[in-house]
Structure formats: structure tokens, C-alpha cells
Amino acid sequence: MRRTGSGRTALLAVLALLATAPAWAADIEFYQTVDRTEVGTNDTFKLTVVVVDAPSNGKVRLPESDDFEILSSSRGSQRSISLSGGGPAVIQDITRHELLMRATRPGRMTIPPATLTVGGRTLRTDPVQMTVREGRSGNTPQAQQGGRPALPDPFRNFRNAPDPFRDEPEEDDAPVIPRGDSDLFLRASLDRDDLYVGEQATLSLYIYSRVDLSSVDAVTMPKLEGFWTEEVESPTQLTGEQKVVDGIPYRAYLLRRRALFPVKSGTLSISAAEADITTGFLFAGHRVHRISNALKVKVRPLPSSGAPPNMSNANVGTWRLSLDVSQTRVELGQPITVKVILDGVGNVKNVTPPKLTGPAALKIYEPTTTDRLTPNRNRIQGRRVVEYLVMPQRTGTFTLPALQFPFFDPSRRQYEVARTDPVTVTVEAGAGGVSSLPSTMTPSQVADAANEQKNVLTASGLRPVRHQAHFVGPTQPVWLRPYFLVGVLAPLGLLAGVAFIGGLRGQLASRSQAGQGRQQAKAARKRLAEAEKLKAGADAGAFYVEVEKAMVGFLEAQLGSPVGGLTREALGEKLAAAGVGAEARTRVLFVLEACDLGRYGGGVDPGERRKVLATAAAVMEGWAG
């Protein structure tokens, strides 16, 4: 069946649609603008090329010049619809090309025009005149263009408003983008470059990248001559954070962060760091070598006004000093542990706490030092503990004097002194021991008393034995009694018999004592061999007990008398009287002193144990020789 009127109806519908359609702009708009025309060689500026209602086959060629470097480029499109006076809607398709650029030299230069090719026609924008100065320019970016007026600034009413962020801490100074490797560069920075000797500055090394990173193959940190350094942070994997440098977005990756403590004043140089970096993934990776910027630090000497005498340059920061005493009332022969604790903010591993001193009656052994670092917000802080073993030599009440630690506080720019209070220690006699010595003794008597055996009864503490005699006169002279002659001759015979038997027993006893001494010496060497097995064990006390027993047993075998209760001085005199040489006596006393320290002080390192064991073996072998 044939339809009628369908063609006419379709034609009318098309005409009606064309009548109501919006009116499209007939002309193409093409222009370029810059945000400012006066810049420095270290500044960046933005060039915007705008195309309005360009056909889809139009090709835009952006301006190129050896006088300008293009750091980044972007392209965006939008559609604009405007209504005016009740007429038809005006629709425009707008395409923007934005280039971030930088001048390569100072002078009066021209950005050449951009070109648009459409259907065989070529359109050109106007060139842009630029004034480039050396360094940085103080001008702020402002829209400057020839094709269209700038849009109104929506924030113009807030120009004079107070800055709500003026109290926020300043960020690190913005890095300068290198010209040859702007997509990936290495940068070192300091949180401060003007400080005092001994004050901390934090060095951070970052990778700034606009490309994908695969790995960091090698990092060479700068030479840090004139600094004491401590590692603060060394990430094991790359973790980036977004940062914008001169309007360009980068991913910043921390490689190293170190604390620097200058040890001398003046202007100190920090050389450039280097790194080998692989970009891309899998087989498309590309390895590059980057070198960071060098740095300089101005280091001021500590003020001379008010400086304590002989204060170390390491005593800079904020410090607290304290004493920790295990016990203040002990029995004679029991050790005391005293800890000198210095904690605060500063160069913990290089600072030296004051040395513990005391009276001669308290023997103070060489200390051990332990450190604990607790970095906070890239600042080095922590605690240094110096632990002393104190062994009382006699009873009485003694005082450990107060300690002082002078330091310079850079935040307050003045010297301070941290102090402790004196500590009183009371030493009591052990079970069955004597009381404290009289206070009226002379120094020589005190020294002699300190060398005597402790905790034993003295002769003055014994009462004499009571005895009553009864005398009776003889009734007959002695020489007239019948047993007088027998009594006179009997001692002579008995003396002869005793002399004979004594000589025989002496020969037998000398042989027996020599054999017994050899057996004791053999047992001592066997005990020393047992100590060899305990040398590397966790129980240091068992090792030193075994070595001491071996040495005491050997000395008793060689000297033929007990030595366990003797003081070190009395033992040395006895060895000298026995004809033992000075070197052998020194080795014996060293081994016994080391055993005391090892038992009461918690032990020492394996190297010290080997030294003690070797010295004991040398004493025994040298004696046998």
C-alpha cells in the first residue's frame, strides 16, 4: 500500500529542526597568552594556547624556540553555552594547550606564534614579547594576553586579609629543577644551615620523579668531613609523596636522612650525593645516574662568655643528670652498683657523663657504657648510662660526692649545669665480723687496717684464761729420789730416738707433700680445662668462679699453705716472699681481680674471658717451667 504525504512531512520536520537549532559561531578564535611577561632565568611561567570552535581535523603546532625550555605540557577541552536576549543559544568548543616554560638566558626575547592548520589554511597567533632577567624575578604571575581580556579574579577581595597560616612552620626551601634532567633529579636539603658547634642539623636526600621508578641500585652519600653523624631514617622500600615544584607535580621519595653534629666552627661544605636509579618496569627499564646539589653550613663557635672550663663541644643540647644506686646500706664484702644516667636531646653517643669518684675505702672498678637512642621528629635524643661496680674495703659511713655536667642549650643560647645530690653509703660488718674502725686512727693506721683480713676477730677481743696456782714444798730433794737418774738419762735416749724417727718421717713426708702438691696442681689445671668449656656460655659467673678456684688451688699447691682468705696485698707479699717474680705476681693478681669483677659485675665480653683464661694458663705453665 502506498503512503502519501510522508516525504512532505519529513521535509517539514527537518526545516522546523533547523529553524530551532542554536546558531554556531562561524569564525575560529585562535590566540596565545602568558601569565607574565617579565621573568627570571630561574623562574617558570605558563603559556596558554586557546582554540575556539576548531574542526576535528584541525592541527595545532605549539611554539618552539631555543630561548625557552618546555618543562611540561597539558591539553584540556570544554564546551561553553551562552544565552543572550532571548535569541538562540551560542555553543562553543574550547581547547586549551598549557605549557610550563622557562627561559634559557637573560635578555629581550620573543615567543614565536603557534599555528593552526585547517582545510589547507594556516592560522597564526600573535608572538609574545618577554623580558628575562638573571636569577629570579619578584613579579607575581598576572594574566597578560592580547586576544581576550583576563577573567575577573574571584579572590580580589581577600588580597589584604590576614594569612590564616602565618604561624605554620615553614617547609623546606623549594628545590631548583635542573635543566637537563627535570623528569628525575636528586636533591639534598638541610632543616637548618646556621647553627652552633655540636648542635644537630638534619640532612635529607630525596628523589623527585615524574616517571615510574623500578629500583634504586646504589646510593653514595656526601662526604661529611667535620661532622659527627647518626642515621635517623633509611627506608628499605620506595614510598613516594606528592609534591609540587614550580607548579609541576612530582613524586618525592626519601632515600636517606641523617643527623649531623658539627665538631668545628666555620663554613663547612657538604659534597653532592649520587645515586643509580632504574626507571620503568620489567624489560622496559632504563638506568640513569643522578647527582644532587652540594650544601654549605655556617657553624658558629660556642659563646666564650660564661663558658665552664674544659667543657666539651659535644655537651650541646638539653640534658638531665641522675644517679641510680642499687643500695646504700650493705655488709662488708657485698658490691654496690652505681649508674650515672645522662638523658636528653643531643649527640647521645658522643657525650661524656661525669666520672664517679669516692673515698679510698670504696674501690670503684672501670665502668661499662650503654646507649639507647629514641629519635623524635628527626631529632636525636636518648639516654647514656655509665654503670660502675663499687666494692667496700672496710666498714663505716662514706659519701659519694655530687656530680656536675655543664652543657650549652642552643634553644636558650646559654650555658646550663645539670647536678646530682651526694649519696651516703653505710658499710656494716658481716656475721661474726668486727665493728667499724675508730675515728682517731692515723692515715697510716687506716691504710694498714684496710690491708688486714676483714670480718675476723682481733686479739683485743679475747679474754685471758684464768688459772690459780698452789705451791707445796718437797719433803726430799729430787736428786736423792730413786728415779732421778732414770729421769735424767731417759730424755737423752728419747731425744736420740725422736731424732732418728723424725729424720725418717721427714724423708717420707717430703716425698708425700711433693706428691700431694703435684696432685693439687694437676687438679687445678683440670679445673681450668673445665672453665674453658664455660668460656662461651651464657653464665659468666660460673666461668669466673671456676677460673678463681683453679688459680687458688694452684697457688696453694705451689706455696704449700692456704691463700683463700688473704687480701690482694697480703697475697702479693706472700708470693714475693716465696721468690715469685714480679711479672708472675702481676698476672696472678690480674686474674683474681678480673674474676671478682666478672662475678659481681655481670660478666664481660667473650674477648675479656679469653684473655683471663689465657693469663691463668700462662701463670701455671710459667710456674712449671
Side-chain angles (χ1 to χ4, degrees), residues 344-363:
V345 179
N347 192 356
V348 177
K349 290 188 176 181
N350 194 31
V351 72
T352 303
K355 186 177 181 180
L356 181 68
T357 59
L362 301 178
K363 185 173 184 179

Side-chain angles (χ1 to χ4, degrees), residues 313-451:
N313 287 339
N315 298 3
V316 176
T318 305
W319 301 99
R320 296 179 300 276
L321 183 65
S322 61
L323 279 180
D324 183 9
V325 183
S326 61
Q327 49 190 341
T328 57
R329 182 176 294 274
V330 297
E331 291 185 355
L332 186 64
Q334 296 298 318
I336 304 172
T337 301
V338 180
K339 296 180 180 179
V340 181
I341 304 172
L342 189 65
D343 57 351
V345 179
N347 192 356
V348 177
K349 290 188 176 181
N350 194 31
V351 72
T352 303
K355 186 177 181 180
L356 181 68
T357 59
L362 301 178
K363 185 173 184 179
I364 302 176
Y365 289 88
E366 287 298 317
T368 58
T369 303
T370 57
D371 300 321
R372 186 179 67 181
L373 298 182
T374 55
N376 183 22
R377 295 183 179 179
N378 303 329
R379 310 301 295 173
I380 293 295
Q381 64 182 33
R383 166 177 292 192
R384 166 160 278 202
V385 179
V386 181
E387 183 174 343
Y388 293 86
L389 180 69
V390 179
M391 186 69 70
Q393 300 296 297
R394 61 184 178 90
T395 57
T397 300
F398 312 100
T399 300
L400 295 173
L403 301 180
Q404 295 185 356
F405 178 76
F407 63 93
F408 178 74
D409 188 347
S411 61
R412 304 177 63 181
R413 298 187 178 183
Q414 65 182 23
Y415 291 95
E416 303 284 350
V417 179
R419 295 181 174 87
T420 65
D421 296 328
V423 177
T424 301
V425 177
T426 302
V427 183
E428 301 172 340
V434 297
S435 60
S436 60
L437 298 175
S439 58
T440 57
M441 296 179 65
T442 63
S444 61
Q445 292 173 329
V446 172
D448 294 338
N451 292 329

Side-chain angles (χ1 to χ4, degrees), residues 275-318:
D276 292 328
I277 307 165
T278 301
T279 63
F281 296 97
L282 299 178
F283 301 104
H286 178 61
R287 186 170 182 176
V288 296
H289 182 77
R290 291 292 183 262
I291 301 176
S292 75
N293 53 306
L295 298 170
K296 290 186 179 296
V297 183
K298 181 182 179 182
V299 182
R300 304 174 184 268
L302 297 181
S304 58
S305 176
N310 301 324
M311 196 196 81
S312 171
N313 287 339
N315 298 3
V316 176
T318 305

Side-chain angles (χ1 to χ4, degrees), residues 500-514:
F500 174 76
I501 296 174
L504 182 60
R505 291 185 61 185
Q507 294 180 359
L508 296 176
S510 61
R511 295 178 182 176
S512 176
Q513 289 178 358

